Amino acid sequence: MRLFSGVMTILFIGFAAVQYNDPDPYIWVPIYLFPAVVSAIIFTGRKVSPLPILLASIAFFVGGFFQWPAHWEGVALKNGMKDINIEEGREALGLLICAVSLFIYWLYLTRFKVKMGEV
């Protein structure tokens, strides 16, 4: 879990860093910094309550669902950002990456760690 949480910490910090040119960085920077902080806490081995992680994971899943574009056009910028569907697709995938990683942490904290007797 240390490797996964270390990689995810770096990834989420990178996601937050590239939001500087987004029209609404005040929304997206905190969105990516939350799982970065959780990942760093898991990486360092500190105790963390699994309930807020599960609730955040659910919130990110719901956000990803509602952010999903009306028409999927991918996330690449081959010909520039031709319409809002590409931006919404990127945002939705970002939220889903956050949701999945937080859900993995929740599983680790509630299922695997307890069975191994590390809590």
Side-chain angles (χ1 to χ4, degrees):
M1 183 54 67
R2 278 184 57 89
L3 178 62
F4 177 75
S5 60
V7 168
M8 295 312 289
T9 300
I10 294 167
L11 182 74
F12 288 130
I13 290 172
F15 284 179
V18 298
Q19 296 303 313
Y20 70 91
N21 66 348
D22 200 89
D24 48 3
Y26 53 89
I27 294 172
W28 291 99
V29 169
I31 283 174
Y32 289 127
L33 287 181
F34 178 78
V37 169
V38 172
S39 297
I41 290 170
I42 299 289
F43 178 77
T44 60
R46 292 191 208 137
K47 289 189 178 188
V48 61
S49 175
L51 181 61
I53 294 173
L54 177 62
L55 294 176
S57 176
I58 292 169
F60 280 115
F61 271 119
V62 170
F65 175 77
F66 283 109
Q67 189 63 35
W68 199 261
H71 177 69
W72 179 257
E73 295 184 33
V75 295
L77 287 175
K78 292 182 216 171
N79 301 322
M81 187 81 70
K82 59 184 180 176
D83 66 19
I84 193 68
N85 288 328
I86 294 172
E87 178 70 14
E88 288 179 351
R90 288 178 170 197
E91 291 171 350
L93 288 177
L95 290 170
L96 294 174
I97 290 168
C98 292
V100 169
S101 64
L102 291 171
F103 187 73
I104 289 170
Y105 295 143
W106 177 78
L107 283 175
Y108 169 70
L109 292 170
T110 59
R111 303 288 188 248
F112 302 113
K113 202 168 184 181
V114 171
K115 288 182 180 177
M116 293 185 304
E118 295 180 15
V119 173

